[in-house]
């Protein structure tokens, strides 16, 4: 009965609208501290953008999460753009990690052995310029704040 009243984060993204989107590394681990992991993020953004699947207006990469302001333009095949992004980056992360590092991301699941991204990515629709600027300010100031 209590599950009926649990708050859930909104992660649905409507194609063609601008969103502030946050994705977090599983268990808030600081996987994104090293440049090679940041480059994977950038590579995925660049690829999806060149395919016109995604317009990126702003982003920040923190040690354990990312924030973006973006618009998805169409599905990437049968997948959502954010789904393609999360899947691609996870596969690339796995290639860079040693077995001792991979163990921190182990997941005993039918469809995967590792989980790099938390399942509750957050999407906030930026429905007015004021809301967009508020989130842009947050994104710019995020690296400067103590967590």
């Amino acid at each position: 009965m209590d599950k009926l009243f649990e708050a859930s984060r909104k992660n649905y993204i409507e194609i063609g609208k601008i969103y502030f989107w946050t994705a977090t590394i599983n268990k808030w681990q600081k996987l994104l501290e090293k440049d090679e992991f940041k480059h994977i993020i950038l590579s995925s953004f660049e690829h999806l953008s060149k395919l016109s699947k995604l317009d990126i207006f702003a982003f920040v990469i923190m040690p354990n999460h990312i924030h973006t302001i973006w618009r998805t333009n169409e599905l990437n095949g049968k997948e959502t753009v954010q789904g393609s992004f999360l899947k691609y980056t996870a596969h690339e992360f796995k290639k860079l990690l040693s077995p001792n590092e991979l163990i921190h991301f182990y997941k005993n699941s039918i469809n995967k052995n590792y989980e790099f991204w938390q399942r509750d990515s957050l999407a906030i629709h930026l429905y007015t310029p004021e809301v967009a600027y508020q989130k842009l300010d947050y994104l710019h100031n995020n690296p400067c704040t103590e967590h």
Side-chain angles (χ1 to χ4, degrees):
M1 182 68 163
D2 290 336
K3 293 215 181 264
L4 290 173
F5 299 101
E6 282 183 7
S8 63
R9 292 170 58 142
K10 183 178 181 334
N11 61 11
Y12 175 76
I13 292 180
E14 191 174 332
I15 291 174
K17 296 194 175 177
I18 298 173
Y19 286 85
F20 175 83
W21 187 72
T22 300
T24 305
I25 297 296
N26 199 15
K27 300 175 193 162
W28 287 85
Q29 296 177 77
K30 294 184 177 184
L31 180 65
L32 304 176
E33 282 184 318
K34 295 180 182 174
D35 285 346
E36 54 263 31
F37 294 98
K38 292 178 185 113
H39 289 298
I40 291 170
I41 301 288
L42 297 174
S43 165
S44 185
F45 283 166
E46 183 178 21
H47 175 74
L48 291 166
S49 183
K50 280 184 179 175
L51 293 175
S52 299
K53 306 291 182 187
L54 178 66
D55 295 322
I56 299 176
F57 303 106
F59 67 91
V60 64
I61 302 172
M62 303 297 292
N64 53 18
H65 65 286
I66 63 168
H67 298 297
T68 65
I69 295 177
W70 67 7
R71 173 180 49 218
T72 60
N73 298 316
E74 62 182 320
L75 293 176
N76 189 30
K78 293 182 180 181
E79 291 183 319
T80 64
V81 173
Q82 65 273 24
S84 292
F85 169 81
L86 295 171
K87 185 165 83 173
Y88 169 80
T89 55
H91 285 291
E92 295 301 305
F93 292 163
K94 184 179 173 190
K95 292 176 187 176
L96 292 179
L97 293 170
S98 71
N100 288 340
E101 294 168 314
L102 272 173
I103 197 73
H104 299 291
F105 298 95
Y106 180 74
K107 170 108 174 145
N108 187 10
S109 179
I110 293 171
N111 64 338
K112 60 184 166 184
N113 293 325
Y114 302 98
E115 189 166 74
F116 296 96
W117 296 103
Q118 286 185 185
R119 292 170 101 25
D120 66 342
S121 59
L122 173 66
I124 298 173
H125 177 226
L126 303 181
Y127 53 91
T128 66
E130 292 78 21
V131 173
Y133 283 120
Q134 176 194 31
K135 293 302 179 190
L136 184 60
D137 285 343
Y138 175 81
L139 192 142
H140 283 154
N141 292 321
N142 197 251
C144 304
T145 59
E146 192 69 33
H147 297 287

